[in-house]
Each structure stands twice: as structure tokens, then as C-alpha cells.
Amino acid sequence: MIQIEKIDGVRKFRLSRTYFGRALYYTAAYWVDGLMIDTGCAYTVRDLISALEDVHIDLIVNTHTHEDHIGANASLSRKFGAKIFAHYSGLPVLSEPRKRQPLRPYQLVMWGYPEPSKGAILGDSVETANHRFQVIHTPGHSTDHICLYEPDQGWLFSGDAYIGGHDRALRADYNIWQIIDSLHKLARLDVNLLFTGSGSIHKFAHRDLLEKIYYLEETAERVLQVYRQGWSYGKIKRAMFGHELLLFYVTLGQFSGKNLVRSIIEDLPANL
Ligand SMILES: [Zn+2]
């Protein structure tokens, strides 16, 4: 399933595998001025290609190499002769996704394995005919995560560095302190439009980023406070985040409240 929207010079594609006619989970890809930012998952390759009939792609940039952002890399690169760029630490995943990023059952159902593709190291900026995008390294959601910022337009393509809502669970391999640090980097930018990896577009990016930072920092402070009083991870999780969410069961425990508690305590930088 694909939903297409045009905003200024940007085309947004919201992509999802459908199951009995229903969309399972949306991820977004964007096209702007010959640049493709992310490419959806393996199940939405054909939808995306057919939506790009009237444009050309000169280059592809992946905000990170999670399977729902690199699915059409190989197909689009073949069709348009486009070069693919990603953070250097993600390049091995692009070339060997099955070996470097084994998927869990829920990921196989929702996104599937991407076809291997060949990426090059992303520099400090990306240039198209009419725009110059700054590359901002924003680890936390993944170590290879980057955002693209176009200062003249105030466009920020944030991939999964900013995910709205008040988290009560975290994936085992995310680092909450790096996520907070990356959000601070983004909050310092002058942003008119924030384009997220799920397809939501934010006009009040600064406010929304600060609100998210405030929630995470305030939550972390409360967790650390009771941890220093001797509370166990389990007790903290129950008191702060309640019962595990449906997400916990669907992902067989990969997302959990306990992971959020653990990351707040164990990933705390020494200088904080
Ligand atoms: Zn991701």
C-alpha cells in the first residue's frame, strides 16, 4: 500500500505491506530534486517504483540501514543508475543484510529481507541540482543513523531519530542517552518542516523535539533517582511503565520497559 503526498518540492511516500487489505505498519520514503531519502521495505518495492514513473533519481541516501528503510535500494539503483550513500558503519548491512542484520519473526512479517545493495560512504553534505543538505550523525536508534538538513528551506529529514509519543519501552539495541543527545542536536537547528521516518510531518519541530527531550530526560531522572535508592530494574519498570505493552509480545521481548530502564541506568554517560 502506498500513500503519496506533495509538500513544496518534496514527495512523500508512506509505504506498508498489506495483510487482508489492511496496512500493517507505515514507513516513509521521500523524493526531492532527484534525491531519494530511504526506500521502504522489501514488500513495497513495486509500489514505490510505480509511484516514481515520472521522476528521475540521481542518488539514494539511507537515514539508517534498518530493513524498513533500505528495501528498494537495489531495484531503484538498477532502474535509475543511482548511487547509494549511507553512514560508513551501515555499509556492511547493505551488502549482506541476512548475515549482518538477522530479522525476528515480526520483522519478517512486516518488512522482510531487503535485496543486498552496494553503498558508498556518505560525506558531510549531499548536493542535488537545487539544494544542499547537511548530514548530521544522530546515533541512538541505531549507530549508523543520520539526518539530512536543508538550511535554506528549513527541511529536516529525521528518519527514526525522532519518534513521537511517550516511550514506555525500548528496543534492546537502542541507546536512550544517544537518542537524547541526537534530539538535542536536531533541536538546535532552524526547522520549518520536519519529515519523519514514519511519514508524520511537523510544522512545529522545535516545540515537538523539546517536548520529547523533556519527557525522556525527566523520565531518566526519575529512574536514576529510585535506582540510587536501591530499587531493582523490575520494580522500577513496574512502578514507572506498568505492564509490558502489546509491542513486547509482538516483538517477543525485543521492545520492553525493562530495556528502557536498563539503557537509562547502564548507558548513562560518565559525565552526567
Ligand atoms: Zn529504524
Side-chain angles (χ1 to χ4, degrees):
M1 184 179 286
I2 186 163
Q3 297 172 348
I4 306 166
E5 196 183 328
K6 292 182 186 176
I7 313 104
D8 298 340
V10 179
R11 283 195 203 188
K12 177 180 90 173
F13 306 99
R14 277 185 92 218
L15 301 151
S16 173
R17 185 183 196 189
T18 44
Y19 224 63
F20 297 107
R22 290 181 63 176
L24 282 183
Y25 185 97
Y26 281 103
T27 35
Y30 297 93
W31 178 94
V32 53
D33 200 24
L35 165 67
M36 193 74 208
I37 303 167
D38 289 334
T39 63
C41 75
Y43 297 130
T44 55
V45 171
R46 254 187 271 167
D47 283 346
L48 184 58
I49 286 181
S50 58
L52 291 163
E53 293 277 284
D54 61 331
V55 295
H56 192 266
I57 298 175
D58 301 310
L59 63 160
I60 297 164
V61 172
N62 295 126
T63 57
H64 59 306
T65 56
H66 281 167
E67 64 284 356
D68 50 333
H69 293 257
I70 62 171
N73 273 19
S75 301
L76 293 177
S77 168
R78 257 198 312 272
K79 182 173 162 69
F80 293 99
K83 206 168 172 184
I84 302 164
F85 293 91
H87 188 260
Y88 73 89
S89 63
L91 299 183
V93 177
L94 294 185
S95 54
E96 293 180 302
R98 282 172 193 269
K99 188 174 159 199
R100 306 286 182 161
Q101 195 163 254
L103 301 184
R104 296 187 170 218
Y106 79 95
Q107 294 170 306
L108 288 171
V109 170
M110 290 204 270
W111 304 300
Y113 276 109
E115 189 185 336
S117 58
K118 194 178 174 333
I121 296 175
L122 190 58
D124 294 335
S125 64
V126 173
E127 278 188 49
T128 63
N130 300 295
H131 301 284
R132 189 164 192 274
F133 298 83
Q134 295 173 10
V135 175
I136 301 161
H137 187 215
T138 46
H141 176 84
S142 63
T143 50
D144 66 349
H145 201 291
I146 62 97
C147 294
L148 290 182
Y149 175 55
E150 207 283 35
D152 292 339
Q153 300 291 329
W155 291 335
L156 176 62
F157 295 89
S158 60
D160 290 342
Y162 166 79
I163 295 173
H166 288 181
D167 309 65
R168 289 169 51 207
L170 198 73
R171 206 170 98 165
D173 55 339
Y174 294 179
N175 180 319
I176 197 67
W177 292 102
Q178 286 183 357
I179 288 175
I180 292 171
D181 198 44
S182 293
L183 289 169
H184 275 292
K185 273 189 204 174
L186 300 182
R188 283 194 286 270
L189 304 171
D190 190 5
V191 179
N192 288 326
L193 284 175
L194 170 70
F195 300 89
T196 70
S198 65
S200 65
I201 296 173
H202 298 247
K203 288 193 172 131
F204 301 99
H206 188 69
R207 178 199 68 187
D208 296 346
L209 288 164
L210 287 184
E211 199 274 334
K212 180 82 189 192
I213 291 168
Y214 175 78
Y215 168 74
L216 291 177
E217 288 186 338
E218 201 258 343
T219 301
E221 204 170 302
R222 283 166 50 213
V223 166
L224 289 170
Q225 204 169 27
V226 289
Y227 174 69
R228 285 169 186 146
Q229 289 166 18
W231 288 30
S232 69
Y233 289 9
K235 188 178 174 186
I236 299 171
K237 190 222 73 164
R238 282 190 299 278
M240 301 267 307
F241 308 123
H243 292 295
E244 293 290 1
L245 306 166
L246 178 64
L247 192 62
F248 173 82
Y249 299 98
V250 170
T251 65
L252 302 176
Q254 201 190 17
F255 278 88
S256 73
K258 213 165 188 174
N259 284 336
L260 181 51
V261 172
R262 182 203 49 74
S263 184
I264 288 169
I265 294 165
E266 295 180 16
D267 296 331
L268 178 70
N271 59 341
L272 286 183

